[in-house]
Amino acid sequence: MTVNPQYILSEVLRLSAGRNLCLAYSGGVDSHVLLHLLASLPVEQRPKLSVIHIDHGLNADSARWAIHCQKTVEALGLCCEVIKVNVTQINELGLEAAARQARYQAFRQRLTEQDCLLTAQHQQDQAETVLLQLFRGAGVRGLSAMQAVTDLAGLRVVRPLLNVSRDALVAYANQHQLDWLEDPSNDDISINRNFLRHQVMPLLADRWPAISATLSRTASHQADAQLLLDELAQADLAAAEVDWAVASVSISALSQLSRQRCANALRFWLQRLGFQAPATIQLERIMDDVFSAAIDREPLVHWHNVEVRRFHQRLYAMAAPCSRPQPIHLVDTSDIPLSDNMILHWQPHRGAGLSLQTIQSGLTVAYRKGGEKIQLAGHAHHHSLKKLFQQWQIPPWQRQRIPLLFAGSELVAVVGYGWSAKHAVKDNETGWIAHTQAGQQTSFSLSDIADSGNL
């Protein structure tokens, strides 16, 4: 196998779909070859191209590597941005996973939906990923390993070298006299991937010379199977009256499915919502404990930062609450970031909402403590917030998470539900209605980026 520059570059242009290109450049042989190929594209044919090198600060030579990468990129007439990251949670995640999480977080903060991140994982990386997932007991999705195109929290990631062997990349690099870096940590066999690479894969290749290509083909077959499972899940969730806005789905409808089909729908639902994928034991608890709980019970299954609950024959998924947020003061209609990656957003409405004067006089965003009352616009009397929540059929656990707006100690709005008659605008005036919306996701689930190879 040899590197086919024309094919690889055509795949980059096809898969990036008109977005700006950003190469994740480690300085290793694989990303250096991809850099060299991209630089060979005529400027008039090449989308806007940027290069980022992540300095993890984990090696004493990392600063020298960053300088090497900048000089290498500049020699090709391009610019290289060096981003230093702080690798945390090493004890909890392991060094490799923690470093991976830190760099993907940096990419997500730097890039937008108009950008496409190019990474240089090759065929051996793909084969190793299949084996790592197999040894974890992964299902179809895990065994599909890395895809040529992945969407991570709105960021497109393209891997154009997955069908290219490392030997072919090294041969290309030698042919063009490329000067690449060797990270000594890649020789540390205490890291699972390196153990496979140095101890296991050579033995397998001696017996089955095409092992990397064969395992990569297995990943492709599993990806096709996962696509069919996802299509089935979407159909089952539609029949189960899924409500993506409030992250809920009908329990009675899911209960009519076979156990395997129900588990498939639940996995898809949770992952589409952006939550960490549940392990088999959590899925079983949802189907056994939550589905069958008595109507007066409030069952809960949780893992990592995810909670799944039941209310009125519907299943709800949500992020676990953080510590009680501090009050936030506002004096205008600018967006305000809240907890749980939510934003307080104002919209103008004719004849409805709070007056601008009320807002500009100063409001406080806080949460329920108990005993609050409000006379809503269109109502003749005050009602307790507790009674209103019951009338609106808001699940008990959500009531503590709904933002409230206060003018001093007076409750003037329940965000997303109603506002005070006293502070409401008249029919011929423009008012402002507050509601919440999801903020831009800037972090990745580890299940999305796990074992994606070295950058």
Side-chain angles (χ1 to χ4, degrees):
M1 176 187 291
T2 59
V3 172
N4 185 335
Q6 183 177 357
Y7 174 76
I8 292 172
L9 292 173
S10 66
E11 283 295 279
V12 168
L13 296 177
R14 180 180 69 85
L15 297 175
S16 60
R19 293 171 174 82
N20 301 323
L21 303 179
C22 177
L23 173 65
Y25 179 51
S26 68
V29 64
D30 41 10
S31 62
H32 198 154
V33 169
L34 186 51
L35 169 67
H36 191 266
L37 291 171
L38 292 169
S40 71
L41 264 176
V43 175
E44 62 274 10
Q45 297 180 21
R46 188 173 69 204
K48 181 181 177 181
L49 174 62
S50 59
V51 180
I52 292 179
H53 172 79
I54 301 294
D55 181 357
H56 299 88
L58 298 174
N59 188 287
D61 288 328
S62 65
R64 180 178 63 81
W65 295 345
I67 294 172
H68 169 90
C69 289
Q70 285 182 310
K71 290 182 177 179
T72 300
V73 173
E74 290 169 359
L76 294 171
L78 300 169
C79 294
C80 177
E81 178 183 1
V82 175
I83 300 178
K84 293 185 178 181
V85 297
N86 182 27
V87 180
T88 60
Q89 295 182 284
I90 294 176
N91 291 336
E92 297 89 343
L93 304 176
L95 179 61
E96 187 183 22
R100 185 183 305 116
Q101 178 171 264
R103 64 173 171 266
Y104 269 92
Q105 186 82 353
F107 289 134
R108 187 63 188 88
Q109 292 174 349
R110 174 63 178 81
L111 304 177
T112 71
E113 293 182 358
Q114 283 70 52
D115 297 309
C116 170
L117 179 67
L118 302 177
T119 66
Q121 293 95 344
H122 47 70
Q123 192 175 75
Q124 275 74 14
D125 292 324
Q126 181 78 314
E128 291 161 6
T129 301
V130 173
L131 289 179
L132 286 168
Q133 295 288 4
L134 182 65
F135 296 154
R136 290 194 181 105
V140 174
R141 189 182 300 278
L143 292 175
S144 65
M146 296 177 283
Q147 307 305 306
V149 179
T150 306
D151 179 84
L152 295 178
L155 173 64
R156 172 164 289 207
V157 180
V158 170
R159 303 177 177 94
L161 303 182
L162 285 181
N163 292 320
V164 182
S165 71
R166 187 178 191 281
D167 288 344
L169 294 174
V170 172
Y172 178 96
N174 287 328
Q175 177 186 350
H176 294 274
Q177 299 181 331
L178 303 184
D179 180 20
W180 66 87
L181 296 171
E182 293 286 358
D183 184 348
S185 69
N186 290 333
D187 296 325
D188 180 3
I189 62 173
S190 68
I191 298 174
N192 289 337
R193 182 177 291 275
N194 292 340
F195 177 77
L196 278 178
R197 181 174 300 165
H198 298 297
Q199 301 290 321
V200 178
M201 291 299 291
L203 290 175
L204 295 176
D206 284 344
R207 181 77 175 187
W208 297 282
I211 186 65
S212 291
T214 301
L215 289 173
S216 294
R217 189 163 62 250
T218 295
S220 179
H221 293 327
Q222 295 299 308
D224 290 342
Q226 187 60 57
L227 180 62
L228 294 176
L229 289 172
D230 287 348
E231 291 177 354
L232 178 62
Q234 291 182 70
D236 287 340
L237 289 171
E241 302 172 352
V242 64
D243 187 336
W244 295 106
V246 297
S248 76
V249 65
S250 167
I251 290 177
S252 58
L254 290 178
S255 298
Q256 301 303 312
L257 302 174
S258 69
R259 192 172 181 85
Q260 294 79 8
R261 194 162 164 175
C262 180
N264 180 61
L266 288 171
R267 282 195 192 94
F268 181 86
W269 176 59
L270 291 162
Q271 291 181 320
R272 175 63 65 88
L273 289 169
F275 293 128
Q276 179 88 16
T280 300
I281 189 171
Q282 277 104 28
L283 283 174
E284 291 176 346
R285 287 189 58 203
I286 292 172
M287 292 186 288
D288 292 338
D289 300 341
V290 180
F291 279 19
S292 60
I295 194 169
D296 60 339
R297 302 293 298 276
E298 295 182 14
L300 165 66
V301 174
H302 64 89
W303 63 96
H304 298 294
N305 192 40
V306 188
E307 293 183 352
V308 173
R309 297 175 180 268
R310 169 181 175 155
F311 183 68
H312 287 178
Q313 282 299 105
R314 291 190 69 82
L315 202 64
Y316 290 82
M318 67 213 74
C322 56
S323 58
R324 190 172 185 86
Q326 294 297 313
I328 301 173
H329 301 286
L330 60 89
V331 293
D332 57 30
T333 56
S334 301
D335 287 354
I336 301 291
L338 304 174
S339 59
D340 296 333
N341 195 38
M342 300 301 289
I343 291 174
L344 179 73
H345 179 72
W346 294 91
Q347 286 187 325
H349 285 267
R350 191 70 172 174
L354 296 176
S355 68
L356 187 60
Q357 180 182 356
T358 295
I359 299 170
Q360 291 177 336
S361 295
L363 296 178
T364 300
V365 183
Y367 295 84
R368 183 188 182 197
K369 294 182 178 179
E372 297 87 356
K373 292 185 177 182
I374 186 173
Q375 181 183 346
L376 294 173
H379 291 242
H381 304 286
H382 283 79
H383 293 90
S384 70
L385 189 57
K386 178 180 179 180
K387 183 176 181 180
L388 290 172
F389 280 160
Q390 291 171 344
Q391 290 178 354
W392 294 331
Q393 294 190 345
I394 297 174
W397 61 86
Q398 286 188 356
R399 299 172 188 177
Q400 307 299 326
R401 307 183 186 197
I402 295 175
L404 307 176
L405 298 179
F406 292 88
S409 60
E410 179 186 3
L411 177 61
V412 299
V414 182
V415 175
Y417 292 90
W419 52 92
S420 165
K422 176 182 175 182
H423 297 274
V425 296
K426 298 178 181 179
D427 291 343
N428 61 344
E429 296 176 336
T430 297
W432 293 85
I433 298 178
H435 64 91
T436 57
Q437 62 184 33
Q440 184 182 53
Q441 186 176 344
T442 59
S443 62
F444 298 97
S445 162
L446 278 178
S447 63
D448 291 332
I449 62 175
D451 292 307
S452 57
N454 300 321
L455 294 183

Short mmCIF file of all heavy atoms in Angstrom, two decimals, residues 56 95 124 133 138 201 203 211 213 227 234 255 262 278 304-305 312 336 350 405 419 427:
data_model
loop_
_atom_site.label_atom_id
_atom_site.label_comp_id
_atom_site.label_asym_id
_atom_site.label_seq_id
_atom_site.Cartn_x
_atom_site.Cartn_y
_atom_site.Cartn_z
N HIS A 56 0.58 19.67 25.78
CA HIS A 56 -0.01 19.11 27.00
C HIS A 56 0.83 19.42 28.24
O HIS A 56 0.34 19.29 29.37
CB HIS A 56 -0.15 17.59 26.87
CG HIS A 56 -1.05 17.15 25.76
ND1 HIS A 56 -0.60 16.95 24.49
CD2 HIS A 56 -2.39 16.90 25.75
CE1 HIS A 56 -1.61 16.57 23.72
NE2 HIS A 56 -2.70 16.53 24.45
N LEU A 95 -3.88 8.77 32.29
CA LEU A 95 -3.14 9.82 31.60
C LEU A 95 -3.61 10.01 30.16
O LEU A 95 -3.83 11.14 29.70
CB LEU A 95 -1.64 9.50 31.64
CG LEU A 95 -0.73 10.51 30.94
CD1 LEU A 95 -0.85 11.88 31.58
CD2 LEU A 95 0.72 10.03 30.98
N GLN A 124 -3.67 1.30 11.47
CA GLN A 124 -3.26 0.60 12.69
C GLN A 124 -3.98 1.17 13.92
O GLN A 124 -4.35 0.43 14.84
CB GLN A 124 -1.74 0.68 12.87
CG GLN A 124 -0.96 -0.40 12.11
CD GLN A 124 -0.92 -0.13 10.61
OE1 GLN A 124 -1.25 0.97 10.16
NE2 GLN A 124 -0.53 -1.12 9.84
N GLN A 133 -11.81 -1.90 22.28
CA GLN A 133 -13.25 -1.94 22.53
C GLN A 133 -13.71 -3.38 22.75
O GLN A 133 -14.57 -3.65 23.60
CB GLN A 133 -14.02 -1.32 21.36
CG GLN A 133 -13.76 0.17 21.17
CD GLN A 133 -14.41 1.02 22.25
OE1 GLN A 133 -14.99 0.50 23.20
NE2 GLN A 133 -14.30 2.32 22.13
N ALA A 138 -17.39 -4.13 24.49
CA ALA A 138 -18.23 -3.13 23.84
C ALA A 138 -19.23 -3.79 22.90
O ALA A 138 -19.03 -4.91 22.43
CB ALA A 138 -17.35 -2.14 23.07
N MET A 201 0.06 -6.66 18.56
CA MET A 201 -0.12 -6.55 17.11
C MET A 201 1.00 -7.21 16.31
O MET A 201 0.72 -7.86 15.28
CB MET A 201 -0.28 -5.09 16.71
CG MET A 201 -1.58 -4.45 17.19
SD MET A 201 -3.07 -5.26 16.50
CE MET A 201 -2.95 -4.78 14.78
N LEU A 203 2.65 -9.92 17.01
CA LEU A 203 2.38 -11.35 17.02
C LEU A 203 1.23 -11.70 16.08
O LEU A 203 1.30 -12.67 15.33
CB LEU A 203 2.05 -11.81 18.45
CG LEU A 203 3.20 -11.81 19.47
CD1 LEU A 203 2.67 -12.17 20.85
CD2 LEU A 203 4.29 -12.78 19.03
N ILE A 211 -3.84 -8.24 9.33
CA ILE A 211 -4.71 -8.10 10.50
C ILE A 211 -5.26 -6.69 10.66
O ILE A 211 -6.44 -6.50 11.01
CB ILE A 211 -3.95 -8.53 11.79
CG1 ILE A 211 -4.88 -8.52 13.00
CG2 ILE A 211 -2.73 -7.66 12.01
CD1 ILE A 211 -5.99 -9.52 12.93
N ALA A 213 -5.86 -4.38 8.32
CA ALA A 213 -6.89 -4.14 7.31
C ALA A 213 -8.16 -4.93 7.64
O ALA A 213 -9.28 -4.45 7.45
CB ALA A 213 -6.37 -4.51 5.93
N LEU A 227 -25.73 1.82 12.06
CA LEU A 227 -26.61 2.73 11.31
C LEU A 227 -28.03 2.17 11.25
O LEU A 227 -29.02 2.90 11.44
CB LEU A 227 -26.06 2.95 9.91
CG LEU A 227 -26.87 3.89 9.00
CD1 LEU A 227 -26.93 5.29 9.60
CD2 LEU A 227 -26.27 3.93 7.61
N GLN A 234 -34.80 5.39 16.00
CA GLN A 234 -35.52 6.62 15.67
C GLN A 234 -36.99 6.32 15.41
O GLN A 234 -37.88 7.08 15.85
CB GLN A 234 -34.89 7.29 14.46
CG GLN A 234 -33.52 7.88 14.75
CD GLN A 234 -32.92 8.57 13.54
OE1 GLN A 234 -33.37 9.64 13.12
NE2 GLN A 234 -31.90 7.98 12.96
N SER A 255 -42.44 -0.05 26.68
CA SER A 255 -42.68 -1.34 27.32
C SER A 255 -43.25 -2.38 26.36
O SER A 255 -43.18 -3.58 26.62
CB SER A 255 -43.62 -1.17 28.51
OG SER A 255 -43.05 -0.33 29.49
N CYS A 262 -35.99 -2.26 23.10
CA CYS A 262 -36.17 -1.17 24.05
C CYS A 262 -34.81 -0.62 24.50
O CYS A 262 -34.61 0.60 24.57
CB CYS A 262 -36.96 -1.66 25.25
SG CYS A 262 -37.25 -0.39 26.51
N PRO A 278 -25.04 4.79 28.84
CA PRO A 278 -25.22 3.95 30.03
C PRO A 278 -24.60 2.57 29.83
O PRO A 278 -24.57 2.05 28.71
CB PRO A 278 -26.74 3.84 30.15
CG PRO A 278 -27.23 3.95 28.74
CD PRO A 278 -26.29 4.91 28.05
N HIS A 304 -22.51 8.66 36.35
CA HIS A 304 -21.71 9.84 36.02
C HIS A 304 -22.51 11.10 36.35
O HIS A 304 -22.88 11.32 37.49
CB HIS A 304 -21.27 9.79 34.56
CG HIS A 304 -20.40 8.61 34.24
ND1 HIS A 304 -19.15 8.46 34.77
CD2 HIS A 304 -20.63 7.50 33.48
CE1 HIS A 304 -18.62 7.33 34.35
NE2 HIS A 304 -19.49 6.72 33.58
N ASN A 305 -22.83 11.90 35.34
CA ASN A 305 -23.57 13.15 35.58
C ASN A 305 -24.98 13.07 35.00
O ASN A 305 -25.57 14.09 34.62
CB ASN A 305 -22.81 14.33 34.95
CG ASN A 305 -23.34 15.66 35.40
OD1 ASN A 305 -23.68 15.84 36.56
ND2 ASN A 305 -23.45 16.62 34.48
N HIS A 312 -45.59 10.40 35.66
CA HIS A 312 -46.82 10.26 34.86
C HIS A 312 -46.61 9.42 33.60
O HIS A 312 -46.91 9.85 32.49
CB HIS A 312 -47.37 11.64 34.49
CG HIS A 312 -47.98 12.36 35.64
ND1 HIS A 312 -48.50 13.63 35.54
CD2 HIS A 312 -48.16 12.01 36.95
CE1 HIS A 312 -48.97 14.02 36.72
NE2 HIS A 312 -48.77 13.04 37.59
N ILE A 336 -28.09 35.58 29.76
CA ILE A 336 -27.39 35.31 31.02
C ILE A 336 -27.11 33.81 31.11
O ILE A 336 -28.02 32.99 31.02
CB ILE A 336 -28.24 35.73 32.23
CG1 ILE A 336 -28.58 37.21 32.18
CG2 ILE A 336 -27.53 35.37 33.53
CD1 ILE A 336 -27.40 38.12 32.39
N ARG A 350 -45.46 41.65 21.58
CA ARG A 350 -46.44 42.73 21.64
C ARG A 350 -47.56 42.34 22.59
O ARG A 350 -48.23 41.32 22.43
CB ARG A 350 -47.02 42.98 20.24
CG ARG A 350 -47.85 44.25 20.12
CD ARG A 350 -46.97 45.47 20.21
NE ARG A 350 -47.72 46.70 19.90
CZ ARG A 350 -47.21 47.90 20.01
NH1 ARG A 350 -45.93 48.06 20.42
NH2 ARG A 350 -47.92 48.97 19.72
N LEU A 405 -37.65 34.99 38.66
CA LEU A 405 -37.19 36.37 38.61
C LEU A 405 -37.85 37.16 39.73
O LEU A 405 -39.08 37.15 39.88
CB LEU A 405 -37.52 37.00 37.25
CG LEU A 405 -36.87 36.35 36.03
CD1 LEU A 405 -37.32 37.06 34.76
CD2 LEU A 405 -35.35 36.38 36.15
N TRP A 419 -45.71 35.46 34.04
CA TRP A 419 -45.16 36.67 34.63
C TRP A 419 -46.24 37.39 35.43
O TRP A 419 -47.44 37.14 35.28
CB TRP A 419 -44.59 37.59 33.56
CG TRP A 419 -45.56 37.88 32.45
CD1 TRP A 419 -46.44 38.92 32.36
CD2 TRP A 419 -45.78 37.08 31.29
NE1 TRP A 419 -47.19 38.85 31.23
CE2 TRP A 419 -46.80 37.71 30.53
CE3 TRP A 419 -45.22 35.89 30.79
CZ2 TRP A 419 -47.27 37.20 29.33
CZ3 TRP A 419 -45.69 35.39 29.59
CH2 TRP A 419 -46.69 36.04 28.87
N ASP A 427 -51.74 45.95 26.31
CA ASP A 427 -51.92 45.30 25.00
C ASP A 427 -51.18 46.01 23.88
O ASP A 427 -50.74 45.37 22.92
CB ASP A 427 -53.41 45.22 24.66
CG ASP A 427 -54.16 44.26 25.57
OD1 ASP A 427 -53.48 43.44 26.22
OD2 ASP A 427 -55.40 44.33 25.63
#
